[in-house]
């Protein structure tokens, strides 16, 4: 008798479990506590799902930024040119940062972009070796921002320790040096946030003797974390996913193409550029980066042109902001080393 009652109990418990579980198939939203993914169409016509904070274009009353990857990849900002008394070419650029704008990065997907000159990426700055580059920077954003240029320049032009607050301005000035392809980006903490929202661009220094004529394109390899979970939802060359798949870049047979490729991807440690159907010649673009896997070794030699405090760190922002960040304090007089430098003294 006891056994029969127990078996009946077990049976009813089993029925109850099965009944509740089967609700999953009838009304899954009741059972699944997490947010329901929303579906968006990409340029391919494929659907992408995200549970994140995608800004509703109907609810947003501002105007979405226009961005044309075809125009961007061929657009070079040479600045306003004047020739100084000593013959030096001065190039002046005007760059404004903002962090309140919206861009439709894929049909139906609106993203809060942080911009240099209303664009992600920012303008491609271009000068010739030895030119004096002067950048009038204005921060119209709600957060502090800066311009950190790669290349050779004085410590106070590095945009690392001099954050520019809301409404603030800063004039960066340096000689275009060395020849190659560099980049610039905001270096305000948390750098990951400022870069992943779009505050970066390319900086080209041409050799005095011009390179061979070629059709030139800029490709900034980037990603978009549209649901703010620290992982990219979209990857692209020049911001818009799949864009050049659906808008092939038209070139001729035997036409010489020169691609300026910059990887500024956040959250992922590595990115690639792989070309089909032909091979490319590869030119060093100015060495200030090494990407290494565990066990790799490299010997580097360098010196500094100007005194000051300079960072060296992983350009994987996560590593940098979790501790792999260091500095050189470069002095005028090699005999004048302090045995101990207080952090507050040098910032
Ligand atoms: Cu910033």
């Amino acid at each position: 008798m006891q056994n029969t009652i127990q078996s009946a109990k077990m049976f009813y418990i089993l029925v109850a479990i099965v009944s509740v579980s089967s609700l999953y198939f009838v009304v899954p939203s009741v059972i699944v506590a997490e947010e329901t993914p929303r579906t968006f169409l990409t340029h391919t016509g494929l659907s992408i799902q995200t549970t994140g904070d995608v800004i509703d274009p109907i609810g947003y009353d501002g105007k979405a930024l226009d961005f044309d990857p075809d125009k961007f990849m061929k657009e070079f900002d040479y600045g306003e040119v004047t020739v100084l008394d000593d013959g030096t070419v001065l190039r002046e650029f005007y760059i404004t940062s903002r962090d309140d704008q919206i861009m439709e990065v894929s049909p139906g997907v609106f993203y809060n972009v942080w911009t240099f000159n209303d664009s992600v990426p920012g303008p491609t700055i271009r000068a010739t070796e030895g030119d004096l580059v002067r950048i009038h920077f204005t921060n119209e954003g709600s957060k502090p921002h800066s311009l950190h240029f790669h290349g050779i320049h004085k410590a106070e032009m590095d945009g690392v320790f001099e954050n520019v607050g809301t409404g603030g301005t800063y004039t960066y000035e340096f000689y275009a040096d060395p020849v190659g392809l560099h980049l610039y980006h905001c270096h305000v903490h948390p750098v990951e946030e400022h870069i992943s929202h779009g505050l970066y661009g390319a900086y080209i220094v041409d050799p005095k003797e011009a390179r061979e004529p070629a059709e030139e394109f800029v490709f900034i390899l980037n990603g978009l974390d549209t649901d703010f979970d620290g992982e990219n939802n979209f990857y692209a060359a020049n911001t818009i996913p799949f864009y050049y798949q659906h808008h092939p870049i038209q070139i001729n047979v035997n036409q010489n193409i020169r691609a300026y490729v910059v990887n500024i991807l956040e959250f992922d440690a590595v990115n690639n550029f792989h070309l089909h159907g032909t091979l490319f010649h590869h030119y060093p673009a100015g060495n200030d980066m090494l990407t290494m896997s565990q066990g790799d070794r490299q010997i580097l030699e360098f010196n500094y042109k100007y005194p000051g405090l300079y960072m060296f760190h992983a350009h994987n922002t996560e590593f940098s902001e979790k501790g792999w960040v260091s500095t050189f304090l470069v002095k005028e007089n090699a005999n004048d080393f302090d045995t101990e430098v207080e952090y507050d003294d040098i910032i």
Side-chain angles (χ1 to χ4, degrees):
M1 189 63 182
Q2 189 91 8
N3 278 351
T4 316
I5 293 169
Q6 278 213 328
S7 299
K9 262 189 188 169
M10 290 287 284
F11 175 75
Y12 287 123
I13 289 169
L14 205 64
V15 167
I17 289 170
V18 170
S19 311
V20 171
S21 303
S22 66
L23 273 176
Y24 174 83
F25 300 100
V26 183
V27 273
S29 57
V30 173
I31 306 297
V32 181
E34 67 202 48
E35 204 180 333
T36 311
R38 296 175 63 190
T39 305
F40 297 95
L41 284 180
T42 68
H43 279 94
T44 61
L46 289 174
S47 65
I48 279 185
Q49 292 196 317
T50 177
T51 55
D53 184 8
V54 176
I55 295 161
D56 180 359
I58 297 163
Y60 177 70
D61 55 5
K63 188 173 164 288
L65 282 179
D66 287 330
F67 180 72
D68 180 348
D70 283 325
K71 188 162 168 265
F72 172 81
M73 74 177 180
K74 296 181 200 171
E75 207 163 58
F76 301 97
D77 186 347
Y78 290 91
E80 288 177 13
V81 176
T82 45
V83 179
L84 304 179
D85 290 344
D86 66 358
T88 303
V89 172
L90 168 67
R91 294 182 189 273
E92 291 187 88
F93 301 86
Y94 296 84
I95 296 186
T96 300
S97 59
R98 288 181 63 172
D99 46 41
D100 62 340
Q101 291 165 303
I102 300 291
M103 189 188 282
E104 188 174 17
V105 292
S106 194
V109 182
F110 288 74
Y111 184 58
N112 169 215
V113 282
W114 299 5
T115 58
F116 289 135
N117 289 0
D118 303 327
S119 178
V120 176
T124 299
I125 303 294
R126 192 158 186 175
T128 302
E129 182 186 17
D131 290 351
L132 184 58
V133 175
R134 185 178 294 158
I135 298 183
H136 304 274
F137 176 60
T138 304
N139 179 16
E140 288 184 1
S142 63
K143 304 167 199 306
H145 297 298
S146 73
L147 280 178
H148 163 64
F149 273 78
H150 288 214
I152 298 173
H153 48 249
K154 293 179 177 175
E156 61 269 30
M157 296 301 156
D158 204 36
V160 170
F161 303 116
E162 302 82 8
N163 293 350
V164 181
T166 300
T169 60
Y170 197 93
T171 304
Y172 298 90
E173 194 171 283
F174 46 84
Y175 290 99
D177 185 26
V179 168
L181 170 60
H182 314 293
L183 72 151
Y184 65 92
H185 56 85
C186 178
H187 213 298
V188 170
H189 188 82
V191 178
E192 186 175 87
E193 191 182 9
H194 291 244
I195 289 181
S196 65
H197 279 81
L199 290 173
Y200 47 76
Y203 162 46
I204 298 169
V205 178
D206 290 314
K208 280 183 177 153
E209 196 170 322
R211 298 182 197 274
E212 290 293 304
E215 182 73 17
E216 298 190 319
F217 303 126
V218 174
F219 297 115
I220 310 281
L221 312 183
N222 53 4
L224 297 158
D225 172 20
T226 51
D227 56 5
F228 311 115
D229 65 352
E231 288 182 21
N232 291 304
N233 302 69
F234 300 94
Y235 295 89
N238 299 339
T239 308
I240 308 297
F242 304 107
Y243 184 84
Y244 299 113
Q245 186 179 7
H246 294 273
H247 305 81
I249 300 165
Q250 299 185 40
I251 58 176
N252 279 314
V253 168
N254 291 328
Q255 186 178 9
N256 197 22
I257 306 301
R258 182 173 300 121
Y260 295 96
V261 185
V262 174
N263 177 32
I264 193 65
L265 186 65
E266 265 303 341
F267 308 121
D268 295 273
V270 177
N271 202 346
N272 304 124
F273 181 101
H274 168 52
L275 188 63
H276 280 214
T278 191
L279 303 179
F280 50 74
H281 297 283
H282 176 232
Y283 299 94
N287 290 333
D288 69 356
M289 287 279 308
L290 269 182
T291 300
M292 303 167 76
S293 63
Q294 191 180 39
D296 272 351
R297 285 97 51 211
Q298 306 285 348
I299 298 174
L300 315 180
E301 289 185 4
F302 53 91
N303 60 62
Y304 278 90
K305 203 167 184 173
Y306 307 106
L309 184 68
Y310 298 89
M311 273 190 182
F312 64 103
H313 60 94
H315 215 299
N316 178 309
T317 314
E318 182 191 357
F319 298 173
S320 173
E321 296 196 335
K322 287 181 176 172
W324 176 178
V325 58
S326 308
T327 50
F328 284 109
L329 180 58
V330 182
K331 299 203 153 195
E332 297 270 17
N333 180 350
N335 298 318
D336 181 28
F337 290 134
D338 294 337
T339 50
E340 207 168 298
V341 178
E342 289 298 325
Y343 187 72
D344 289 346
D345 293 344
I346 54 180
I347 300 296

